Amino acid sequence: MTQHIEIEFKNIITKAQYEGLLQAFSIQPEQIIRQVNHYFDTSGNHLKELQCALRIREIGETIECTLKEKTSEHQHLETTDFITREQADQMLAGKSILLPAVNERLALFDIPMNTLHCYGTLTTDRVEIPYEGGLLVFDHSFYLHCDDYEVEYETNDEKIGKKIFSTFLVNHSIEPQPAQKKIVRFMMALNNQKG
């Protein structure tokens, strides 16, 4: 189990800007790591109402289940349990599994594990590189019939991180266009598809 505060800044970029950043930072194909995210909520969207998100993330053989709780505009409390392939398959099939840390946090919101179901999957090809004391992230995500691109900056200090990220955008001629979290973009696409 791990628990930490995540401080990140996100900006939507175009495909051309994404490709330009890969070139500017000399990113090699083997540096692009695929992540598969499966999102969960209750049928009444209780987690969404609480500004929380629950996902299973697969990166190669590593699988983790993370509950993200919004604590401020750029901060989230992340609670993670590492799980097996069998546990992931059970959860994706709608069965309850024992997640010591995540279950404990869900209980605080009175959300039993057996009320959760997977409502979709989003895949991201991600590049992470150290940058100015933090982590710079280039993401290409695809889900439903959508493709989008974003740059993120993860930091330990919100004030300093904001300044570093703003300077980065200016230096790379990227217009500030704050990105919604991936789960929000996924839900908007899902709702548009239903509508």
Side-chain angles (χ1 to χ4, degrees):
M1 185 277 278
T2 62
Q3 193 172 56
H4 75 280
I5 294 287
E6 175 188 65
I7 303 171
E8 67 180 3
F9 298 88
K10 301 159 80 69
N11 203 86
I12 289 287
I13 54 177
T14 64
K15 181 180 182 183
Q17 287 170 329
Y18 170 82
E19 290 171 348
L21 288 172
L22 295 186
Q23 199 168 19
F25 286 85
S26 305
I27 302 302
Q28 301 303 307
E30 62 273 11
Q31 290 176 266
I32 301 173
I33 306 298
R34 178 155 291 181
Q35 301 178 344
V36 180
N37 299 294
H38 308 284
Y39 295 115
F40 294 80
D41 206 337
T42 66
S43 55
N45 294 319
H46 290 99
L47 288 172
K48 180 184 172 190
E49 286 175 17
L50 293 164
Q51 293 190 298
C52 295
L54 182 67
R55 69 163 185 241
I56 286 178
R57 172 172 284 172
E58 302 178 43
I59 306 172
E61 299 299 309
T62 303
I63 308 173
E64 58 189 33
C65 183
T66 300
L67 178 67
K68 294 180 100 165
E69 301 169 52
K70 188 168 186 171
T71 54
S72 73
E73 185 184 359
H74 296 286
Q75 289 189 29
H76 289 80
L77 172 66
E78 288 193 352
T79 304
T80 299
D81 284 303
F82 289 91
I83 61 175
T84 65
R85 173 80 266 163
E86 184 183 4
Q87 287 175 307
D89 290 343
Q90 287 177 332
M91 198 167 157
L92 288 164
K95 297 178 181 156
S96 294
I97 64 169
L98 180 61
L99 300 167
V102 170
N103 285 156
E104 188 178 312
R105 297 299 301 175
L106 288 172
L108 296 176
F109 303 119
D110 199 26
I111 299 175
M113 178 63 80
N114 64 4
T115 63
L116 297 167
H117 68 278
C118 179
Y119 58 82
T121 299
L122 175 149
T123 300
T124 298
D125 285 341
R126 167 167 284 193
V127 174
E128 295 181 346
I129 49 175
Y131 183 80
E132 301 283 333
L135 190 68
L136 194 58
V137 179
F138 307 140
D139 279 348
H140 170 207
S141 296
F142 32 104
Y143 49 97
L144 304 173
H145 298 293
C146 302
D147 268 83
D148 64 34
Y149 302 85
E150 70 185 310
V151 59
E152 296 180 12
Y153 183 62
E154 296 180 13
T155 179
N156 293 322
D157 185 300
E158 189 167 343
K159 199 172 176 181
I160 294 170
K162 185 175 186 175
K163 189 180 285 189
I164 289 169
F165 191 58
S166 296
T167 301
F168 171 86
L169 295 179
V170 169
N171 289 345
H172 292 276
S173 305
I174 297 170
E175 186 180 330
Q177 197 177 348
Q180 297 274 19
K181 294 203 88 52
K182 289 178 183 67
I183 191 168
V184 174
R185 302 198 309 262
F186 178 90
M187 287 304 292
M188 288 167 62
L190 186 62
N191 290 334
N192 286 343
Q193 197 176 58
K194 287 177 182 173

